[in-house]
Amino acid sequence: MSKQKNARRVADNEAMAKVRMLRTSPQKLNLVAQMIRGKKVDKALTDLTFSNKRIAADVKKCLQSAIANAENNHNLDVDELIVAEAYVGKNMTLKRGRPRARGRFGKILKPFSELTILVRQNEEQA
């Protein structure tokens, strides 16, 4: 007797990818995630390729992972995929510091964040 198979966390026409420990603040990462929300995946990939933001390369890698999950694990058509959701969360923060004048200590916070991208197959064209 084996355990029951876990139910899928997303719908049948969706696929997800998540990346943790991105070395940027959630506020900066959300600016890049906002660029691709609701777009077709090929347009989103081009926007990320030509973006000037440093973190755009990591967001592109996560989007490519979501596309690969949709194609290989869930048999979805890549040409009909759109970025349904792209949301950002906080992760840990490294606490660093620097000595300042008169015996004080300047606090330096180095935040990490995480990104979740959900792609959905567009049912209107099918």
Side-chain angles (χ1 to χ4, degrees):
M1 295 226 272
S2 62
K3 294 192 323 186
Q4 292 290 326
K5 183 178 175 185
N6 287 337
R8 283 194 60 194
R9 282 182 257 166
V10 293
D12 290 335
N13 63 337
E14 294 176 345
M16 187 176 78
K18 187 169 192 169
V19 62
R20 293 184 172 96
M21 300 298 289
L22 284 173
R23 180 55 192 90
T24 186
S25 71
Q27 187 175 3
K28 290 178 184 176
L29 183 59
N30 194 39
L31 292 174
V32 179
Q34 193 175 335
M35 262 186 354
I36 64 171
R37 282 189 197 119
K39 292 186 178 179
K40 292 184 70 67
V41 290
D42 54 346
K43 175 77 170 113
L45 283 172
T46 0
D47 287 352
L48 290 171
T49 303
F50 296 107
S51 173
N52 288 330
K53 302 280 188 185
R54 176 190 61 85
I55 202 65
D58 293 324
V59 175
K60 180 181 175 187
K61 192 186 284 190
C62 182
L63 179 58
Q64 287 171 332
S65 176
I67 294 168
N69 289 342
E71 186 178 15
N72 298 323
N73 300 347
H74 308 303
N75 300 321
L76 300 178
D77 186 17
V78 176
D79 298 326
E80 296 179 7
L81 290 178
I82 60 168
V83 180
E85 296 175 17
Y87 50 92
V88 175
K90 287 166 75 170
N91 208 314
M92 71 170 207
T93 303
L94 292 179
K95 279 84 171 179
R96 298 294 181 260
R98 180 168 187 182
R100 305 297 291 176
R102 296 167 63 189
R104 294 198 177 117
F105 188 70
K107 191 190 302 187
I108 297 175
L109 300 176
K110 299 187 174 198
F112 284 76
S113 48
E114 51 189 54
L115 171 71
T116 306
I117 294 181
L118 187 84
V119 292
R120 181 179 297 139
Q121 185 171 346
N122 213 352
E123 296 297 328
E124 299 160 2
Q125 297 172 352

